[in-house]
Amino acid sequence: MKIQFQCDYNEGCAPEILSALAQTNMEQNVGYGEDPHCENARRLICEACKAPHADVHFLVGGTQANATVISCILRPYQGVIAAETGHIAVHETGAIEHGGHKVVALPAINGKITAQQIDDCVKAHYAEDGPEHTVQPGMVYISYSTEFGTLYSLMELEEIHDVCVEHGLPLFVDGARLGYGLASPASDITLPLLARLADVFYIGGTKQGALFGEAVVFANQSLAKNFRYCIKQGGGMLAKGRLLGIQFETLMTDNLYIRLARHAVNEAIRIRQVLLEKGYPEVVPSPTNQLFFTLPDKDLAKLSLDFLFSVWGKPDNAHTTVRICTSWGTLPENTDKLIEALKEI
């Protein structure tokens, strides 16, 4: 069987989570996220974010979280500003548009948009002759880390926050890979900083050690009004909600969430160093768990005998750009095997 480096959700879940689920399996709990485990997980998340009054909700997956948050916040005539490479713009099968809202996509550099772009977009809308004839920008969506593994700096995030406040736009941060961003040596963002600068964000579990689940954190409580109605209407209210609570209760204990993420980032750093030493072009300078490199097809053919990567494009007939992705569960010995194979080419 090939060793898989194509995504960060190939493995099941962290052993600590599997143990916690087994130990609590025969407990009787009320449903729909109102059990003691969910309440404790909310408390732990609020403590980690230093946001005691934040409103925390648990959903099963990232697309579900994105669609539910965006549909809840926006009015029917509004759209969401995002990078053209953002997950909601390219990898969610039009889920946002299906909910009746346009994704206002802006050109991105390495997966990121700027405060100036957001400002220009909003001003351009209101400068139109009859702005009510076009979709009104109603909120801003960014990812941390981005779909290309890149990170917004604290300065960039503060600038985006400021322009959002200026225009009255809620800022929503997709945190499907939040831990991998926070654990990166290149990050100057912390959970408390994120809770201060974003109106709403989520702590991703699916890609970061949980079997499934995302914890949506409304730092701006006013936006969370009636959110449970939106969850239910969108089919996102898990009857056995304690399954989500137990997982986040475990992830937020003893810094497990960041420890798991740091492992993935460290394994990626090891692989990246060898790729650079081999002289392969790095398409995006990613400091997290996702690596984007262009390899000669002949080299990729040899590696593909034993390893699986994601193909991201072909710049020419002789080369292929691949994503090499580590995870919380990447075995160091599998990283060693990939490094050895790269060195032998």
Side-chain angles (χ1 to χ4, degrees):
M1 181 179 293
K2 294 183 181 181
I3 297 173
Q4 300 185 35
F5 283 98
Q6 87 276 29
C7 69
D8 40 21
Y9 43 92
N10 287 325
E11 298 88 1
C13 69
E16 294 89 342
I17 287 178
L18 199 59
S19 175
L21 289 171
Q23 290 173 15
T24 58
N25 185 54
M26 292 306 294
E27 283 186 8
Q28 290 186 318
N29 281 292
V30 296
Y32 306 109
E34 296 183 321
D35 59 278
H37 293 289
C38 285
E39 286 303 316
N40 189 40
R42 291 186 182 98
R43 179 186 63 80
L44 291 171
I45 288 170
C46 289
E47 287 180 358
C49 295
K50 290 184 169 50
H53 303 297
D55 204 344
V56 180
H57 299 266
F58 301 107
L59 290 98
V60 171
T63 297
Q64 185 186 78
N66 288 334
T68 307
V69 168
I70 290 169
S71 67
C72 181
I73 290 176
L74 291 182
R75 299 296 302 276
Y77 49 83
Q78 292 179 323
V80 52
I81 295 172
E84 62 187 359
T85 56
H87 210 265
I88 62 171
V90 295
H91 282 147
E92 294 189 348
T93 323
I96 307 307
E97 288 86 350
H98 182 68
H101 299 286
K102 181 180 178 62
V103 176
V104 182
L106 303 180
I109 298 177
N110 293 337
K112 300 194 297 183
I113 56 175
T114 67
Q116 188 62 58
Q117 285 179 287
I118 296 168
D119 187 55
D120 291 344
C121 176
V122 176
K123 288 178 178 176
H125 170 77
Y126 289 105
E128 293 179 7
D129 183 13
E132 65 274 8
H133 295 289
T134 59
V135 171
Q136 181 189 76
M139 66 186 295
V140 173
Y141 164 101
I142 62 173
S143 301
Y144 192 92
S145 56
T146 73
E147 288 68 28
F148 287 93
T150 53
L151 301 174
Y152 286 89
S153 69
L154 176 58
M155 180 181 294
E156 289 171 326
L157 197 55
E158 286 176 334
E159 290 173 349
I160 290 174
H161 164 81
D162 290 346
V163 79
C164 285
V165 170
E166 179 183 348
H167 293 294
L169 302 176
L171 175 59
F172 174 33
V173 178
D174 180 327
R177 293 185 172 95
L178 177 61
Y180 297 135
L182 297 175
S184 170
S187 174
D188 57 357
I189 301 294
T190 63
L191 271 176
L193 282 172
L194 189 61
R196 177 172 65 83
L197 296 171
D199 292 282
V200 55
F201 62 94
Y202 64 91
I203 299 172
T206 303
K207 294 180 172 68
Q208 297 192 204
L211 276 174
F212 54 86
E214 324 295 318
V216 176
V217 181
F218 282 91
N220 183 344
Q221 281 185 291
S222 66
L223 296 176
K225 184 180 179 181
N226 297 324
F227 189 64
R228 279 178 62 85
Y229 288 86
C230 295
I231 296 174
K232 181 63 177 182
Q233 188 177 66
M237 188 166 285
L238 188 64
K240 296 181 181 180
R242 58 96 173 269
L243 296 177
L244 292 164
I246 291 165
Q247 293 186 79
F248 278 95
E249 191 177 36
T250 305
L251 286 172
M252 302 309 292
T253 299
D254 296 330
N255 207 34
L256 179 62
Y257 186 67
I258 296 300
R259 287 192 285 114
L260 292 173
R262 187 174 293 121
H263 167 75
V265 173
N266 289 341
E267 294 303 293
I269 289 172
R270 293 174 60 203
I271 297 169
R272 180 174 183 264
Q273 183 60 39
V274 177
L275 290 165
L276 292 173
E277 289 173 357
K278 294 285 293 185
Y280 295 131
E282 187 175 27
V283 178
V284 180
S286 166
T288 58
N289 70 311
Q290 300 182 83
L291 306 174
F292 298 86
F293 279 81
T294 297
L295 278 60
D297 287 346
K298 60 182 180 59
D299 292 0
L300 182 58
K302 294 177 182 177
L303 292 169
S304 296
L305 295 174
D306 299 303
F307 304 94
L308 187 60
F309 313 119
S310 292
V311 174
W312 279 68
K314 283 192 67 64
D316 57 51
N317 291 331
H319 296 81
T320 299
T321 298
V322 297
R323 180 182 74 170
I324 301 173
C325 196
T326 59
S327 81
W328 62 271
T330 297
L331 297 176
E333 52 264 39
N334 285 343
T335 301
D336 292 339
K337 291 175 183 177
L338 176 56
I339 288 173
E340 182 180 350
L342 284 166
K343 288 181 176 179
E344 290 178 351
I345 291 177

